[in-house]
Amino acid sequence: MSNLRYLYLALAVWGTIHPMSWFISWFNENGYDLAAMIDAWHANAATSGLVWDLTIAAVTLTLWILAETWTHKNWMGLLAIPATFCIGVSCGLPLYLFLRSRAV
């Protein structure tokens, strides 16, 4: 495995652990209410802008994954879609690059 693949994998792990630590901390302080968390994401214009920026990036990444999977039949790449929407783009993008860069 190349150094670049190791870097993609490390970024995917970091992109899972770091954001989830913030989410878990928030849930521990405010209760496990997803609706309240979504409301917190729209607390002001700056956070709403960030949410929309990440949402557009997640949709774009999903379209790219689907297009490449359809073309190259690299079905493992589809695992990055739920990672993107359940964890975040910080996990989904490096995970997809990791899966995409393997020998098919």
Side-chain angles (χ1 to χ4, degrees):
M1 194 158 67
S2 72
N3 288 339
L4 187 57
R5 284 200 78 216
Y6 281 120
L7 182 58
Y8 289 150
L9 184 58
L11 288 169
V13 171
W14 182 25
T16 299
I17 293 170
H18 196 116
M20 291 307 284
S21 69
W22 288 98
F23 292 149
I24 290 168
S25 173
W26 189 91
F27 281 130
N28 287 337
E29 290 177 18
N30 298 287
Y32 287 82
D33 183 0
L34 189 58
M37 178 178 250
I38 292 170
D39 288 341
W41 291 344
H42 295 283
N44 57 50
T47 58
S48 289
L50 185 58
V51 166
W52 280 109
D53 180 63
L54 292 171
T55 301
I56 292 166
V59 169
T60 304
L61 175 59
T62 300
L63 291 173
W64 179 38
I65 292 168
L66 291 172
E68 282 211 338
T69 299
W70 184 263
T71 304
H72 301 291
K73 310 297 187 225
N74 183 7
W75 305 112
M76 290 297 291
L78 294 173
L79 293 173
I81 294 174
T84 298
F85 286 98
C86 294
I87 300 168
V89 176
S90 63
C91 172
L93 177 58
L95 177 62
Y96 180 66
L97 293 173
F98 171 77
L99 295 170
R100 181 180 185 266
S101 61
R102 73 178 178 89
V104 179

